[in-house]
Amino acid sequence: MSYHEKKALAGLVTLLLVVVGYCIYAFSSYANGNTQNDNIKFWAGAILLFIAVGVIITVIIEIVLYIREYLKILADKNLSKASATQKMKTIFSPDEMDKLIELKTSKISYAFTGIGFVSAMILVLIGFSASVMINIIFLSMCVGSFIEGIAVIYYYKVGVSNE
C-alpha cells in the first residue's frame, strides 16, 4: 500500500471515529434531555468540538505516517543519503496523478456538501428547526469526505485517466 493510500485510509478511520463520537455524544445528550432540540448553540459547539478533535487526530496521524515512511526509506541499506532524500521528495511532492486524483475526488465532496446544504435549507423552509439543518450539513460533509476518501484509495489502486 502506498503512502497516499495509507494517508487516505487513516483519514477515513479518523472521520469514522469523529462521526461516531459526535453521534454518541450529541444524540445521547439529546436523548437524556440535557439539551433542547432548538438549542443551536449546543449543536454548533458539539460540531466545532468534534471538528477540532478530528483536525488534531489527523495532524498526529499524518506526522506518524510521514516519520514511518521516512524511517522505512532510511532503513534501506542500498540507498545513499542523497538518493534517500530524492526518494522522499518524489513520494511527498504531488505529481500530475496526485493533482488529477485530488481534482476528481474533490467533486464528490462538493456534491454531497451541496446536496446536504440544499436539503437542510428545504427542511428549515418546511418547518424543521435550525439544529436539524446544522446536523444535516455537518453529516453531509462527513459523508462526502468519506466517499471522497474511498475514491482516493480506488484511484491510487486502479489509476486515473485524463477523461
Side-chain angles (χ1 to χ4, degrees):
M1 187 177 273
S2 73
Y3 168 76
H4 299 289
E5 292 169 314
K6 291 176 189 172
K7 184 177 168 184
L9 187 60
L12 288 174
V13 171
T14 302
L15 182 64
L16 280 175
L17 290 174
V18 167
V19 169
V20 167
Y22 170 75
C23 289
I24 290 170
Y25 170 74
F27 297 116
S28 68
S29 292
Y30 177 72
N32 293 336
N34 296 340
T35 186
Q36 300 285 333
N37 187 29
D38 58 351
N39 186 355
I40 193 77
K41 195 172 186 177
F42 168 78
W43 294 105
I47 289 171
L48 288 174
L49 172 72
F50 280 90
I51 287 173
V53 167
V55 168
I56 291 168
I57 292 171
T58 300
V59 168
I60 291 169
I61 288 174
E62 287 191 17
I63 289 170
V64 168
L65 283 174
Y66 181 88
I67 292 171
R68 186 173 175 258
E69 192 72 24
Y70 183 71
L71 292 175
K72 190 168 85 172
I73 289 172
L74 287 179
D76 188 0
K77 302 291 184 195
N78 299 330
L79 292 176
S80 65
K81 287 201 181 226
S83 60
T85 304
Q86 185 62 31
K87 188 169 183 175
M88 286 296 292
K89 285 181 183 177
T90 59
I91 290 173
F92 296 112
S93 60
D95 59 1
E96 289 180 26
M97 184 175 126
D98 297 329
K99 292 178 183 176
L100 190 57
I101 288 173
E102 183 181 338
L103 286 172
K104 284 187 175 250
T105 58
S106 66
K107 291 178 186 178
I108 296 168
S109 184
Y110 292 143
F112 274 91
T113 302
I115 290 168
F117 181 79
V118 171
S119 300
M121 292 298 132
I122 290 170
L123 288 174
V124 167
L125 188 63
I126 61 174
F128 285 85
S129 70
S131 61
V132 172
M133 175 192 71
I134 198 168
N135 278 296
I136 288 175
I137 292 172
F138 175 66
L139 293 174
S140 68
M141 290 170 53
C142 292
V143 168
S145 295
F146 185 78
I147 294 175
E148 179 183 4
I150 291 172
V152 166
I153 293 171
Y154 173 78
Y155 281 134
Y156 274 111
K157 284 282 187 203
V158 174
V160 64
S161 63
N162 204 9
E163 296 173 2

